[in-house]
Amino acid sequence: MYLTVKETAEYLSVPEATVEKLIQQKKIRALYDGNEYLIYKAQFNTHLKQVEKYKQLIEEILNEPIPEDLDVKDED
């Protein structure tokens, strides 16, 4: 149900320091139980899905072709 910082780092294939930094920046929500930070797995998975969806949307926007024939008049 909860992931430790180490488990989250392994899941993301990043160093533990990166996960701790994301927690401090409040980009990953976590609970502190007195010994270590715990990340709620279901909420974390939801966040990852939203990030992936956002990345796909950005990619679609960037890959949209620019219209070739712009009707621009030059008044020189």
Side-chain angles (χ1 to χ4, degrees):
M1 188 163 165
Y2 286 94
L3 297 171
T4 63
V5 171
K6 182 178 181 179
E7 292 169 337
T8 305
E10 290 173 2
Y11 182 72
L12 295 174
S13 301
V14 297
E16 289 181 41
T18 302
V19 175
E20 291 171 353
K21 188 176 183 182
L22 291 171
I23 290 170
Q24 291 172 354
Q25 294 173 349
K26 305 224 185 268
K27 292 185 179 182
I28 295 177
R29 293 174 69 186
L31 301 171
Y32 187 71
D33 71 350
N35 293 328
E36 62 184 344
Y37 285 101
L38 299 173
I39 295 106
Y40 187 56
K41 189 174 183 177
Q43 183 182 32
F44 186 69
N45 286 334
T46 302
H47 174 72
L48 286 178
K49 287 177 187 175
Q50 289 175 346
V51 168
E52 287 299 318
K53 193 175 184 181
Y54 181 71
K55 284 180 182 178
Q56 288 176 352
L57 177 64
I58 295 296
E59 188 174 319
E60 287 175 10
I61 291 170
L62 292 175
N63 289 334
E64 187 174 311
I66 299 172
E68 290 183 24
D69 186 37
L70 293 176
D71 194 22
V72 178
K73 294 181 181 178
D74 189 15
E75 296 183 17
D76 282 345

